[in-house]
Amino acid sequence: MRVLLAAILLVGALALLLVLLAWLAERRLAHFAAPYVTADPAALPEIEVALVLGAAPIGPEGGPNRYLEYRLDAAAALWRAGKVKYLLVSGDRRPPDYDEPSVMRVRLAARGVPERAIYRDFGGQRTRDSVLRARAVFGQRRLIIVS
């Protein structure tokens, strides 16, 4: 009985330690990322390209996906403020009749961004893919990421 109790306590202590380490790692990451995260375009440096991460064009409620719309609003604001010259819209285009980057381009053009300033990346199935492809395929070393 004592061995079973000791094993349960040990497993509980290890689980608690894991949770604590995960929380500390998240806090550390947030601390180091804070200077680079902002909702104010004026606080950002001027950079050649902004990477706009994709999202499903249609939201769960059936209308336009509000998260995608917020990203597109932010990207258009960056372009209008002269913070970026080009927008790289990255998203998924794997299923038939599904094309996030083209939808993003149309909606950005409706916000006043000229199509010549918008480049599409059709291989961004995940955020990691989008960031890696921005460097490997599009040659970008410095980006503003719009998420």
Side-chain angles (χ1 to χ4, degrees), residues 71-130:
R71 290 177 186 180
L72 298 177
D73 289 342
L78 282 173
W79 185 83
R80 278 193 299 275
K83 294 295 182 173
V84 296
K85 292 180 184 175
Y86 303 100
L87 299 172
L88 175 58
V89 295
S90 183
D92 195 1
R93 187 176 83 162
R94 286 179 295 171
D97 300 332
Y98 187 82
D99 186 349
E100 290 176 3
S102 294
V103 169
M104 294 165 70
R105 186 179 198 188
V106 167
R107 292 184 185 174
L108 281 167
R111 288 169 168 81
V113 179
E115 287 191 9
R116 63 176 163 63
I118 306 167
Y119 289 84
R120 294 175 292 176
D121 173 22
F122 299 108
Q125 283 83 30
R126 297 176 310 198
T127 298
R128 182 176 189 273
D129 297 334
S130 297

Side-chain angles (χ1 to χ4, degrees), residues 2 6 8 12 14 17 29 31 34 42 50 60 62 65 70 90 100 113 122 124 127-128 131 134 137 141-142 145 147:
R2 283 187 165 155
I8 290 172
L14 288 174
L17 180 64
L29 180 62
H31 172 74
N65 185 335
Y70 295 155
S90 183
E100 290 176 3
V113 179
F122 299 108
T127 298
R128 182 176 189 273
V131 173
V137 176
R141 298 207 181 273
R142 289 186 73 203
I145 299 176
S147 174

Side-chain angles (χ1 to χ4, degrees), residues 1 8 16 30 33 35 41 44 53 55 61 91 93 100 129 134 136:
M1 191 62 147
I8 290 172
L16 184 60
L44 295 170
L53 300 174
E61 64 281 346
R93 187 176 83 162
E100 290 176 3
D129 297 334

